[in-house]
Amino acid sequence: MALADIAVDVSEPFVRELSQSALETVEGRFDGLKTRALEKLAEQGVASETASYDCYLNLQYQGSDTTLMIVRPEDGDFAKAFIEEHKREFAFTLEAPIMVAGVRVRATSKSKSDDLSETSPYMEELKQLDASGIVPSAPKSFATNSVYFEEVGRFTDVPLYRLHDLTPGMKVPGPAIILDNTQTIVLHPQNTARILKSHVFIDVGLGPRKAIDLQSVDPIQLSIFSHRFMGIAEQMCRALQKTAVSVSIKERLERKGELRPGDMLVSNTPEAGGGHLPDITCIQPVFGDDGKDIVFWVAARGHHTDIGGLGGNSHHPNQTVRQEEGVAFESTFVIRDGVFNEKEITEIFMKAGDYPGCKPTKRLDHNLSDLKAQCSACTIGTSQLHDLFDEYGKDVVHFYMKAIRDNAEACTRDALKQYAGKTYSATDYFDDGTVVKLKIDISEDGTGTFDFTGTGPEVLANFNAPEAITRSGLLYCLRTMSGTDIPMNAGVLAPLNIVIPKGSVLSASEDAAVSQGNGEVAQRVADIVFTAFNVMSGSHGSMNGTHLMYKKWTWAETTCGGASAGPTWDGQSAVHTNMTNTRIGDLELLETRFPAILREFSIRRGTGGAGKHRGGDGIRRVYESLVPMEASHDGQRRVIAPHGSEGGLEGERGASYLKKRTRQGGFRIVKLKPAAQVEMLPGEQLIVHTAGAGGWGVPEGLEAAEPAQPTVGPKAGSRPPPFTRANGSVSQWGQAQAECD
């Protein structure tokens, strides 16, 4: 710490498009910041002649929230440096003006003791020791301790030394530990420490990595690879955040002909493994070193708010056929031979308006930018996988990828064994009366049959779902019930025989509309699985999707509600539940980016079902239009209430209302259908009430009724019951992510 450089940073906001005139103004800002920085250095006793300065511009593309701090390049071309850095980090550039978001200066006073060149005093002291010919005495340890080193592959007893007992010239071979009052120095087996007068000089050499056994799974390596793969996925997600304004997939993608390194494909149709059309997936093959064999696949899926559709709404409540839901990509090159296929992609987006009553996307520029962001995420994932190959070798990476899948299967089997020997069943309904049935049989080895026979046929509406959605909802439930932190993968479903009737609302045909099935059907699948196993009461059970539309702008969000209660917990209020992967929008963003005001966002106290453990409460959210606009809301649990369990009472149903102007100039409140789209005038309000969750157990003061289902209690020693996690706002989560940079 005493040898560290002294540095101070000063900055100030400056918003302007990057241009020559802006740079001339910036130079004056730099001079002012240098003066401020030097004053701060002087307060720490630093002389002005020892200071050096680095000048930065905080730059971003116009319309993007991603900023990059660019240090002044040698040639002074900030624009060129920004474009190169953006392409290096995100694999693409944008055809948009570059904006200055701020200026910054770092002033640094270099330490006089950081020279490690051949003429430094440390190197000179080492030379003198080597030339003296004096053989130092061997160091004496005062104790030993057992330490695990990866190079050795086992715990090894290593000597412990006190630094003050070691004299200049002594050599301490690794493995060893040197202790001081303020530090602990760990020497690996190939390290050698040389004691100097005032420093410890370590010759670092880790040696060859121990070969990883491919015959048996090492639990430590399994955990390492699980987190490495999850880390890659999280880095891909971060790339999407920063730049954005399945087996069945692979089988279809291989029809495209020969794929080459760098190629990427785009797909969103349910038959190609998608959920609903707004979820567009970019897929990239990862090639081996020879550039011929595909050894991995990476994919980045993003929800595009506007892809066209009936009346220009990709989630219009009146959709009845797939063609009314917007653009459809089955398997199209988005990048071919390193070139972004903008012409063909644009043509396909525009075709969404060819169907009667439909319009294409209103923000093609946003769609293209988000696709580029998804391509960037795939590029990062591919790069990270190649780093893994370089570090461990392709065979090891493949071995542990399979091991992760096998481990997920084992966790599922272990979780299901406690339910062996019985048959479990449940029945639930959508608000239109469509029935969903499930029968479960579990064997002693943890395999099981999940049979949805008896479920109603697909409906002439948009809350049908492809089979992939039903399977993913089931996967979510079982992973939750396993109680283990395992990466989401197909191994979870490996021990299951899943029976889903073709043409049902859970396995809709290619013609069926599915835009709301991705949320509403998946939520119903989650509720019915948890109900069958009797692990928790019914949740508010809906994505509660709201869309506000004005000219080319669309505001879309899902809305929270009451979470399930269980044997040992009360349900949380006003949270997203089950497999939803979204967070509610911030009112500040709504009111600054869209002509609407959020008049109320409150908890509907008492709407959760009563019980020994009470269900979570739903919410009330009131949107007021400032201009003429269209609004839609799709929700469930407006007719069929969330059920209670073990004698708990059901939660209160949700509802949607429109506060509409009258001819006399006043207002009237009208109730809307569970899925409705309306036109709003300035001052009119869309009022959304979401359902409360059911309660668990007989409420105090009520007599126990005959339970609707047999109680299914976990066996002794089993994992604790599952729980739902409360999600925060977009802004809160984004801030937490930014703090990790």
Side-chain angles (χ1 to χ4, degrees), residues 249-301:
I249 291 178
K250 178 179 177 182
E251 290 172 350
R252 286 179 175 254
L253 294 180
E254 290 178 340
R255 301 176 188 173
K256 288 298 295 182
E258 182 181 354
L259 292 167
R260 297 189 279 270
D263 287 350
M264 294 190 202
L265 298 131
V266 61
S267 178
N268 70 336
T269 60
E271 291 70 39
H276 60 178
L277 298 183
D279 287 345
I280 300 179
T281 306
C282 289
I283 310 103
Q284 182 176 28
V286 181
F287 287 81
D289 294 336
D290 59 3
K292 297 180 180 179
D293 297 327
I294 298 175
V295 295
F296 261 92
W297 293 83
V298 295
R301 175 171 291 178

Side-chain angles (χ1 to χ4, degrees), residues 184-197:
T184 299
I185 302 173
V186 179
L187 301 178
H188 285 252
Q190 278 69 42
N191 297 166
T192 300
R194 193 75 179 271
I195 309 302
L196 305 182
K197 293 179 181 178

Side-chain angles (χ1 to χ4, degrees), residues 192-486:
T192 300
R194 193 75 179 271
I195 309 302
L196 305 182
K197 293 179 181 178
S198 57
H199 297 86
V200 177
F201 188 90
I202 301 175
D203 182 6
V204 179
L206 291 178
R209 178 187 293 272
K210 180 189 175 185
I212 295 179
D213 182 14
L214 297 184
Q215 302 302 315
S216 60
V217 176
D218 182 343
I220 294 177
Q221 290 291 349
L222 180 64
S223 177
I224 289 173
F225 274 97
S226 294
H227 286 86
R228 290 292 292 270
F229 286 129
M230 289 301 296
I232 291 173
E234 288 166 2
Q235 289 186 55
M236 293 173 66
C237 180
R238 292 298 303 282
L240 276 172
Q241 292 169 349
K242 287 185 174 182
T243 53
V245 254
S246 83
V247 173
S248 58
I249 291 178
K250 178 179 177 182
E251 290 172 350
R252 286 179 175 254
L253 294 180
E254 290 178 340
R255 301 176 188 173
K256 288 298 295 182
E258 182 181 354
L259 292 167
R260 297 189 279 270
D263 287 350
M264 294 190 202
L265 298 131
V266 61
S267 178
N268 70 336
T269 60
E271 291 70 39
H276 60 178
L277 298 183
D279 287 345
I280 300 179
T281 306
C282 289
I283 310 103
Q284 182 176 28
V286 181
F287 287 81
D289 294 336
D290 59 3
K292 297 180 180 179
D293 297 327
I294 298 175
V295 295
F296 261 92
W297 293 83
V298 295
R301 175 171 291 178
H303 182 88
H304 291 236
T305 300
D306 185 357
I307 61 167
L310 184 64
N313 184 357
S314 306
H315 297 270
H316 199 293
N318 295 334
Q319 292 164 337
T320 58
V321 294
R322 183 78 56 80
Q323 291 84 348
E324 294 176 333
E325 297 186 314
V327 69
F329 299 97
E330 181 169 357
S331 179
T332 304
F333 280 111
V334 63
I335 292 180
R336 180 64 161 171
D337 296 328
V339 178
F340 186 77
N341 188 15
E342 185 167 337
K343 183 173 183 283
E344 184 180 2
I345 295 296
T346 298
E347 291 174 351
I348 296 175
F349 265 110
M350 291 299 102
K351 286 181 181 178
D354 293 347
Y355 196 80
C358 294
K359 298 177 183 179
T361 174
K362 300 182 289 294
R363 296 307 303 263
L364 178 64
D365 55 337
H366 283 192
N367 297 121
L368 294 177
S369 293
D370 287 349
L371 281 176
K372 291 176 180 178
Q374 291 173 248
C375 292
S376 167
C378 289
T379 299
I380 289 173
T382 297
S383 174
Q384 294 290 322
L385 281 172
H386 278 294
D387 289 345
L388 268 185
F389 296 158
D390 293 341
E391 184 175 352
Y392 291 97
K394 181 181 67 177
D395 292 341
V396 173
V397 175
H398 273 153
F399 177 81
Y400 274 96
M401 176 59 85
K402 181 179 182 300
I404 290 171
R405 184 185 182 280
D406 292 343
N407 180 61
E409 178 181 351
C411 289
T412 300
R413 289 176 179 270
D414 188 39
L416 291 179
K417 286 178 182 178
Q418 61 180 300
Y419 298 102
K422 293 182 180 180
T423 296
Y424 308 92
S425 62
T427 300
D428 206 340
Y429 297 88
F430 290 98
D431 282 344
D432 71 339
T434 299
V435 65
V436 180
K437 291 189 175 184
L438 174 61
K439 179 182 177 183
I440 304 172
D441 290 293
I442 306 297
S443 302
E444 293 293 336
D445 61 355
T447 59
T449 296
F450 286 69
D451 189 350
F452 291 92
T453 298
T455 294
E458 62 186 52
V459 298
L460 196 64
N462 61 3
F463 60 89
N464 303 288
E467 191 170 306
I469 291 299
T470 303
R471 288 178 173 271
S472 66
L474 179 56
L475 186 153
Y476 159 80
C477 294
L478 295 178
R479 183 173 181 265
T480 303
M481 291 171 61
S482 73
T484 56
D485 184 17
I486 56 177

Side-chain angles (χ1 to χ4, degrees), residues 42-165:
E43 293 173 358
Q44 301 183 56
V46 175
S48 60
E49 60 271 14
T50 66
S52 61
Y53 304 94
D54 292 312
C55 299
Y56 299 83
L57 287 183
N58 200 16
L59 302 176
Q60 64 188 129
Y61 281 116
Q62 188 178 58
S64 171
D65 293 330
T66 301
T67 60
L68 296 176
M69 193 66 71
I70 305 297
V71 67
R72 188 206 302 267
E74 293 183 1
D75 61 2
D77 192 340
F78 276 98
K80 178 183 176 182
F82 169 77
I83 291 171
E84 291 176 349
E85 179 64 16
H86 196 281
K87 189 171 184 178
R88 184 195 66 79
E89 184 164 354
F90 303 117
F92 70 92
T93 59
L94 297 177
E95 294 296 330
I98 300 173
M99 304 297 296
V100 181
V103 293
R104 169 186 166 198
V105 167
R106 167 172 287 183
T108 306
S109 176
K110 291 287 186 181
S111 168
K112 297 180 180 179
S113 304
D114 62 353
D115 181 16
L116 292 180
S117 66
E118 289 294 322
T119 59
S120 73
Y122 315 126
M123 298 302 293
E124 188 63 30
E125 184 177 355
L126 284 171
K127 288 181 179 179
Q128 293 176 0
L129 287 172
D130 292 337
S132 68
I134 300 175
V135 179
S137 58
K140 294 183 179 180
S141 65
F142 68 89
T144 61
N145 195 25
S146 183
V147 180
Y148 181 89
F149 291 99
E150 183 182 359
E151 305 93 315
V152 180
R154 64 177 185 277
F155 282 92
T156 304
D157 289 335
V158 299
L160 306 182
Y161 302 94
R162 293 188 178 92
L163 183 58
H164 63 77
D165 292 335

